[in-house]
Amino acid sequence: MHPMLNIAVKAARRAGNLIYRSTDKIDHLTVTKKSHADFVTEVDRAAEQVIIQTLLEAYPEHSILAEESGAHGESEYLWIIDPLDGTTNFLHGFPQFAVSIALQHKGVLTQAVIYDPVRNELFTATRGRGAYLNDKRIRVTKRLHMADALIGTGFPYSNFQHMDAYIAILRDVMQASSGLRRPGSAALDLAWMAAGRYDGFFESCLKAWDIAAGCLIITEAGGLVTDLKGTPDGYMKSGHICAGNPDIHGHLIKLIAPHLTAALK
Ligand code: IPD
Ligand code: CA
Ligand code: CA
């Protein structure tokens, strides 16, 4: 394992264990509302601190972009961290949440870890070296047809600006596919996409920390990641993302195209 990935795994496991231990104290946690339906708990913050501490202990000069504490440092190495992706699920005891950590070097994603502490599933990737679930190599599915495909998504929950377009896309994808899922952790959705549990995924308005690790894991598993227009760059900034095995990705882009408003492009 690449030494930088090794440190990221250590950080993700530490944070994941902390989150998992907190699941029996959910009712006693201090919860703060960041905006409509957007919550943060002391567990998100504590997990983030453990991750940052672990990374900076090994690489004190590296930069950090973390959901709860923001950006610091000016190194060409940037760690992008979502300490707890799926906070709403976590707060409800709905067992679908994860830790997501990615490393960018000079703007290129090079290492990625997504850790699901409930199932003890560790998804990892190093650029050019494939994607893994625990110690097993993972690949995206080979399904060719939309009618056979299982598609993941995330519903708008706080920013309802794209609601009409989203509902129109949902209607078409629902009718064309064999099923649609919204488990509630974008990072895990992307990891599951890479592991062949979905054939495609789309969501809008995500943040870099939701998707950075998942995108590298998918591309290393042979999948495609683009924005909703099908363009390979720009989604890390816009947060509008479409992923899939190469065939289903193409079908999804075609289904989405008629509904794209200027703001979703
Ligand atoms: C959220 C989850 C969810 C997605 C939201 C994200 P958080 O992350 O990934 O699946 O639909 O857009 O904000 O806030 O739980 O870290
Ligand atoms: Ca998130
Ligand atoms: Ca989060």
Side-chain angles (χ1 to χ4, degrees):
M1 189 183 280
H2 189 284
M4 288 187 183
L5 182 63
N6 202 26
I7 295 295
V9 167
K10 191 165 150 190
R13 283 196 185 278
R14 281 185 179 164
N17 294 341
L18 183 153
I19 293 165
Y20 192 67
R21 282 197 309 272
S22 311
T23 49
D24 21 319
K25 315 183 236 169
I26 296 171
D27 293 341
H28 307 287
L29 294 177
T30 315
V31 183
T32 317
K33 202 167 177 174
K34 292 198 276 190
S35 62
H36 173 74
D38 190 4
F39 302 99
V40 59
T41 71
E42 62 208 76
V43 177
D44 297 63
R45 294 204 177 95
E48 184 164 302
Q49 282 319 304
V50 164
I51 295 167
I52 294 176
Q53 230 171 44
T54 308
L55 298 175
L56 292 186
E57 219 167 78
Y59 303 108
E61 72 291 357
H62 285 190
S63 300
I64 302 283
L65 171 64
E67 181 177 10
E68 311 305 340
S69 58
H72 25 156
E74 273 166 25
S75 158
E76 59 192 32
Y77 287 96
L78 175 68
W79 292 97
I80 306 176
I81 303 161
D82 190 334
L84 171 47
D85 185 63
T87 298
T88 301
N89 283 345
F90 169 76
L91 278 173
H92 289 262
F94 189 98
Q96 182 79 2
F97 42 83
V99 179
S100 176
I101 304 175
L103 178 64
Q104 252 184 9
H105 181 223
K106 299 185 177 170
V108 178
L109 288 166
T110 54
Q111 312 290 342
V113 183
I114 294 174
Y115 179 53
D116 169 354
V118 177
R119 298 175 185 80
N120 193 23
E121 287 191 328
L122 181 79
F123 300 86
T124 56
T126 294
R127 176 166 293 270
R129 296 203 201 158
Y132 290 81
L133 162 50
N134 296 334
D135 292 324
K136 258 181 81 187
R137 183 85 191 250
I138 50 175
R139 304 278 312 168
V140 296
T141 60
K142 291 191 167 67
R143 239 168 240 116
L144 296 174
H145 307 293
M146 206 51 197
D148 303 322
L150 185 65
I151 306 297
T153 188
F155 302 150
Y157 63 99
S158 175
N159 172 355
F160 298 115
Q161 185 197 348
H162 309 296
M163 198 60 157
D164 291 344
Y166 186 80
I167 297 288
I169 294 168
L170 212 54
R171 189 189 301 121
D172 285 359
V173 174
M174 226 178 255
Q175 292 183 82
S177 67
S178 87
L180 206 50
R181 301 288 181 267
R182 197 286 191 244
S185 160
L188 264 194
D189 286 332
L190 296 173
W192 284 22
M193 167 68 237
R197 295 174 185 172
Y198 294 121
D199 305 292
F201 174 83
F202 68 96
E203 188 165 349
S204 58
C205 303
L206 288 168
K207 297 285 195 282
W209 46 77
D210 299 316
I211 57 181
C215 290
L216 182 63
I217 296 174
I218 290 179
T219 51
E220 286 299 321
L224 294 180
V225 185
T226 64
D227 63 11
L228 296 176
K229 299 193 296 291
T231 315
D233 39 45
Y235 58 84
M236 282 281 278
K237 265 210 177 118
S238 70
H240 307 323
I241 181 175
C242 179
N245 79 32
D247 294 286
I248 299 300
H249 176 271
H251 296 313
L252 263 179
I253 290 293
K254 279 196 200 116
L255 281 171
I256 292 170
H259 309 296
L260 277 186
T261 55
L264 277 174
K265 285 183 182 166

